[in-house]
C-alpha cells in the first residue's frame, strides 16, 4: 500500500522537475523517469499489457524521438529566453485554480471506495486482445490509417522543398 | 503475484484521481510558463499520460477492460501526434532559426 504513495510522490516530483529544468535535455531525461514511474503504476494496477506498451512506446520510441529532434535542432547554447514573471505567476494561478476545482469536486462527491482487482486476468494480453478484436475492430483499423497518414505527413513536413532551396 | 496485487490494492479511488489531476495541472502549468516549443510538447505528453493512468485506474475499479483498450488507442494517437508535431517544430526551426514560440506571433492577425 505504501508503495503506491512512494511511487506517486516520485512521479509528482519528477514531473515538477520536467517543467522547471532549464536545459531541455535534462527535461527529457526527467520525463523518461516520470514515464518509468507510470509504468510502475500500471504494474501495481496489474495492467501488464499497458505496462509493457508504455515502456516500449513512450520510453523507447517517443522519448528517443524527442532526444533526436533536440540533437537535430542543436540547442546547446542555453538560448531559451525567460518569460516575464507576470506570465509565470499567471500560469501558476491558472493551473492552481484548475487543480483546486478538481480537488473540491472530488471532495464534494465523497467517494473513496478502494480500488480492488476482482478479475486477476483483467489487464492481460489475452483478455485485452479478445476485446480489441471483437468490439473495437473498426477503431483499431482506423488507428492504423491514422498512423499511416501521420507517417506520410511527418515525412512530407520534415523534408526540404527542393524548389525553394 | 496475486497476493502481491491484492495487498497493494486497497488504495482509495480518490487518491488516483488526485494524483492524476496533480500531474495534469503540472502539465497545464508547463504549457503556460515555458517558451521552448519542445518543452511545451513534453508537457502535453505529461497530460496525456495522467489521463491514461486515470483511465487504467477506473478500468480496474469497474472491472471493465474497455478502459485499457482506450488507453491503447490514446497511446497510438500520441505516437502520431508526436511525429507530426516534431516535424512541424523542425520545419519552424529551419525557417526561423529558433524554437521560441513567441517568434510565431505573426500568426496572430
Amino acid at each position: 500500500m505504501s508503495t503506491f504513495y512512494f511511487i506517486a510522490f516520485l512521479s509528482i516530483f519528477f514531473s515538477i522537475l520536467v517543467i522547471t529544468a532549464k536545459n531541455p535535455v535534462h527535461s527529457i531525461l526527467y520525463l523518461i523517469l516520470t514515464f518509468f514511474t507510470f509504468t510502475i503504476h500500471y504494474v501495481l494496477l496489474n495492467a501488464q499489457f499497458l505496462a509493457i506498451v508504455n515502456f516500449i512506446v513512450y520510453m523507447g520510441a517517443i522519448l528517443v524521438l524527442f532526444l533526436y529532434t533536440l540533437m537535430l535542432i542543436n540547442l546547446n547554447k542555453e538560448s531559451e529566453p525567460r518569460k516575464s514573471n507576470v506570465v509565470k505567476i499567471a500560469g501558476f494561478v491558472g493551473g492552481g485554480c484548475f487543480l483546486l476545482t478538481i480537488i473540491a469536486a472530488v471532495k464534494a462527491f465523497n467517494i473513496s471506495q478502494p480500488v480492488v482487482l476482482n478479475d486477476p486476468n483483467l489487464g492481460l494480453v489475452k483478455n485485452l486482445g479478445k476485446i480489441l478484436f471483437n468490439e473495437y475492430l473498426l477503431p483499431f483499423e482506423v488507428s492504423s490509417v491514422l498512423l499511416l497518414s501521420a507517417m506520410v505527413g511527418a515525412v512530407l513536413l520534415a523534408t526540404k522543398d527542393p524548389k525553394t532551396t | 503475484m496475486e497476493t502481491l496485487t491484492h495487498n497493494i490494492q486497497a488504495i482509495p479511488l480518490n487518491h488516483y484521481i488526485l494524483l492524476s489531476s496533480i500531474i495534469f495541472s503540472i502539465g497545464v502549468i508547463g504549457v503556460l510558463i515555458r517558451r521552448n516549443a519542445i518543452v511545451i510538447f513534453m508537457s502535453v505528453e505529461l497530460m496525456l499520460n495522467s489521463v491514461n493512468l486515470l483511465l487504467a485506474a477506473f478500468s480496474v475499479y469497474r472491472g471493465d477492460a474497455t478502459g485499457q483498450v482506450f488507453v491503447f488507442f490514446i497511446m497510438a494517437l500520441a505516437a502520431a501526434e508526436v511525429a507530426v508535431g516534431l516535424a512541424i517544430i523542425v520545419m519552424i526551426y529551419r525557417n526561423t532559426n529558433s524554437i521560441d514560440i513567441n517568434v510565431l506571433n505573426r500568426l496572430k492577425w
Side-chain angles (χ1 to χ4, degrees):
Chain A
M1 177 133 176
S2 61
T3 317
F4 169 76
Y5 295 105
F6 179 63
I7 300 298
F9 169 73
L10 279 187
S11 41
I12 292 172
F13 179 69
F14 286 131
S15 51
I16 288 175
L17 282 179
V18 168
I19 65 167
T20 53
K22 288 198 171 64
N23 196 339
V25 178
H26 292 173
S27 210
I28 290 177
L29 294 179
Y30 288 131
L31 194 65
I32 291 177
L33 286 175
T34 310
F35 285 167
F36 187 67
T37 58
F38 273 95
T39 305
I40 299 173
H41 277 304
Y42 290 137
V43 171
L44 289 185
L45 283 172
N46 205 17
Q48 300 175 8
F49 174 69
L50 285 186
I52 299 293
V53 169
N54 194 54
F55 197 84
I56 294 173
V57 172
Y58 272 107
M59 294 170 62
I62 291 182
L63 288 172
V64 168
L65 206 62
F66 269 113
L67 274 176
Y68 194 73
T69 310
L70 210 57
M71 273 192 282
L72 208 65
I73 283 177
N74 193 13
L75 271 183
N76 50 6
K77 51 187 183 294
E78 198 68 46
S79 60
E80 184 184 354
R82 312 297 300 171
K83 266 193 177 175
S84 66
N85 276 329
V86 178
V87 178
K88 274 189 183 173
I89 291 171
F92 276 111
V93 169
C97 286
F98 175 75
L99 181 62
L100 209 66
T101 311
I102 291 183
I103 287 177
V106 169
K107 286 267 188 244
F109 271 128
N110 206 7
I111 41 163
S112 63
Q113 282 128 347
V115 178
V116 177
L117 188 70
N118 293 318
D119 185 10
N121 52 5
L122 178 71
L124 302 192
V125 182
K126 189 178 174 187
N127 195 8
L128 281 183
K130 273 182 185 161
I131 291 179
L132 187 62
F133 287 104
N134 281 325
E135 294 175 45
Y136 295 97
L137 186 60
L138 182 64
F140 183 74
E141 300 292 340
V142 171
S143 72
S144 73
V145 177
L146 171 76
L147 283 177
L148 177 68
S149 60
M151 188 179 74
V152 173
V155 171
L156 196 69
L157 282 174
T159 45
K160 259 180 201 162
D161 198 358
K163 275 170 280 186
T164 56
T165 49
Chain B
M1 186 70 197
E2 273 188 35
T3 56
L4 175 75
T5 51
H6 266 284
N7 283 338
I8 283 167
Q9 281 163 3
I11 298 149
L13 183 64
N14 273 0
H15 294 183
Y16 275 105
I17 299 176
L18 288 182
L19 170 67
S20 298
S21 43
I22 286 171
I23 291 177
F24 191 90
S25 38
I26 288 172
V28 171
I29 293 171
V31 169
L32 291 177
I33 69 171
R34 295 302 295 260
R35 290 174 66 174
N36 192 335
I38 290 184
V39 181
I40 288 176
F41 239 71
M42 293 193 308
S43 304
V44 173
E45 289 301 310
L46 214 57
M47 289 195 266
L48 277 172
N49 257 288
S50 72
V51 173
N52 279 353
L53 179 64
L54 193 61
L55 269 175
F58 270 114
S59 152
V60 172
Y61 175 70
R62 302 282 301 171
D64 188 354
T66 309
Q68 304 194 6
V69 175
F70 270 92
V71 173
F72 178 67
F73 284 130
I74 292 176
M75 280 177 184
L77 187 126
E81 171 240 337
V82 163
V84 175
L86 287 178
I88 290 175
I89 288 176
V90 168
M91 198 180 63
I92 287 171
Y93 179 74
R94 202 179 284 145
N95 286 330
T96 67
N97 269 324
S98 153
I99 54 169
D100 185 359
I101 51 163
N102 281 18
V103 177
L104 299 177
N105 61 2
R106 72 189 69 158
L107 292 176
K108 225 192 265 178
W109 285 288

